[in-house]
Amino acid sequence: MNIPFNIPYTSDRELIYIQEAIAAGHLSGNGMFTKKCQRVFEKQYGFKKTLLTTSCTNALDMSALLFDIKPGDEIIIPSYTFVSTALAFARQGAKIVFIDSRSDHPGINENEIEKLITSKTKVIVPVHYAGVACDMNKIMEIANKHNLFVVEDAAHAIDSFYKGKSLGSIGHLGCFSFHETKNIQCGEGGMLAINDERFIERAEIIWEKGTNRAQFFRGETDRYQWMDIGSSFLPSDINAAFLYAQLENLDLIQKKRKRIWEQYYEGLKPLEKEKLITLPLIPEYATNNTNMFYFVCRNKKERDNLLIWLKDNGILAVFHYLSLHKSPYYKNKHDGRDLPNSDIFSDCLVRLPLYYELTLKQQLNIIDLILNYYK
Ligand SMILES: *Cc1c(COP(=O)(O)O)cnc(C)c1O
């Protein structure tokens, strides 16, 4: 048996919509399918305004520009996250103040935030790991009290909720990924959700190379020109056409992923009962969009050997983030605080294959192998 970690989902409509985009004769950014996708996202999830981007990394780049991040600013970011969460802010010369994860969940420990706030702090970046919400009420309360911005790294979190509010719609900004490893995808893609109206006009300008091109095409101005900083953050309408097909199949995808996730959870429960592994926690305020199935081993050696055992049996399970405060790029810039929970997740977390085409038979085989490893 050979089971890869991921197979990107595709329906039978991506090519049809790409052909429609070609027929429409507008293949650059902000075309028909870009607008269609943005409208659906805004309507379905209550974002004030969305802009498709070429990646979540790019949406985070736009956030750092919109917040006018400058050298010396401090940004609170979890150590247990993907590099992209920190990249845009580091490039602006900001100091990354890494925060630890909760002990029971890889999301940031909201009780640690206030201790890290100084007069230089500008932004908090919660990451909704595995699509499971951080405690957003608490985080927004702290941000409002100290006059800080919040950008949600919602890369994993499409179609997931916190107390009924969609993730990415709660902070001033939210950033999504449509990379092929996410629930819906277009190879490489992303989206900026703008929830604070003050940022909408400038976001559109930064998105289109610092010009007011979007306003021009809506007839709101008689010429378009250089207005501000920016870059080329908008994807081709070909990517948007692909994404639109995925968006139409979101419910189908989610239903299947949910079934797979629950099957893993049930199948591995006996190991948790014996305290051999820890299964994922979904706090009562959060939904589970099943972006990922992970569990946590007792130590690194047991985790590493499990990954080898699965690989020897044809199954590609993987570990995840390495603590950013220990990364080659940032370890000498980090202020030296230990972040033990981040390190535990780096050392002990396992992610299992979870994709639309995974069959029940394959899944039962994976579960059996894990149960046998612990026998
Ligand atoms: C995937 C991911 C990103 C980056 O997304 P891209 O679309 O590949 O740029 C950012 N943050 C987190 C937490 C991610 O998992």
Side-chain angles (χ1 to χ4, degrees), residues 210-268:
T211 71
N212 56 349
R213 191 170 177 278
Q215 291 174 346
F216 173 73
F217 278 102
R218 284 197 300 265
E220 293 165 14
T221 173
D222 58 2
R223 65 192 124 173
Y224 85 83
Q225 47 194 337
W226 188 8
M227 305 298 286
D228 204 334
I229 51 166
S231 191
S232 187
F233 289 120
L234 68 179
S236 153
D237 217 46
I238 299 173
N239 283 43
F242 190 106
L243 184 64
Y244 192 67
Q246 300 263 317
L247 198 44
E248 279 191 338
N249 285 290
L250 182 71
D251 288 343
L252 186 74
I253 297 169
Q254 293 298 77
K255 210 178 268 169
K256 181 73 183 281
R257 293 185 74 99
K258 213 151 257 174
R259 210 160 64 217
I260 295 171
W261 197 97
E262 278 159 11
Q263 190 81 34
Y264 274 139
Y265 194 89
E266 288 307 312
L268 296 175

Side-chain angles (χ1 to χ4, degrees), residues 55-57 81-82 84-85 127 153 155-156 177 179 182 188-189 321:
S55 63
C56 181
T57 307
T81 184
F82 191 54
S84 296
T85 316
V127 176
D153 183 335
H156 304 161
S177 174
H179 183 267
K182 316 296 183 197
E188 301 273 0
Y321 306 129

Side-chain angles (χ1 to χ4, degrees), residues 262-281:
E262 278 159 11
Q263 190 81 34
Y264 274 139
Y265 194 89
E266 288 307 312
L268 296 175
K269 251 185 186 166
L271 296 180
E272 184 170 63
K273 266 206 193 93
E274 293 176 56
K275 299 201 183 327
L276 296 166
I277 63 168
T278 309
L279 290 171
L281 171 84

Side-chain angles (χ1 to χ4, degrees), residues 75-105:
I75 319 293
I76 296 175
I77 289 180
S79 180
Y80 193 72
T81 184
F82 191 54
V83 184
S84 296
T85 316
L87 213 49
F89 300 101
R91 194 195 301 113
Q92 296 297 110
K95 179 177 166 199
I96 311 299
V97 178
F98 285 113
I99 183 165
D100 207 1
S101 300
R102 291 179 56 96
S103 60
D104 57 0
H105 184 268

Side-chain angles (χ1 to χ4, degrees), residues 321-339:
Y321 306 129
L322 301 173
S323 291
L324 290 182
H325 72 287
K326 291 185 168 171
S327 63
Y329 183 69
Y330 221 86
K331 66 175 183 238
N332 295 325
K333 303 179 187 68
H334 176 62
D335 54 30
R337 278 173 302 116
D338 279 332
L339 303 172

Side-chain angles (χ1 to χ4, degrees), residues 125-160:
V125 192
V127 176
H128 304 302
Y129 185 79
V132 177
C134 299
D135 192 346
M136 288 308 293
N137 278 358
K138 186 89 189 264
I139 292 168
M140 294 310 290
E141 199 179 292
I142 294 168
N144 291 334
K145 180 171 155 199
H146 296 272
N147 213 5
L148 309 176
F149 293 124
V150 172
V151 53
E152 299 174 66
D153 183 335
H156 304 161
I158 196 71
D159 201 43
S160 204

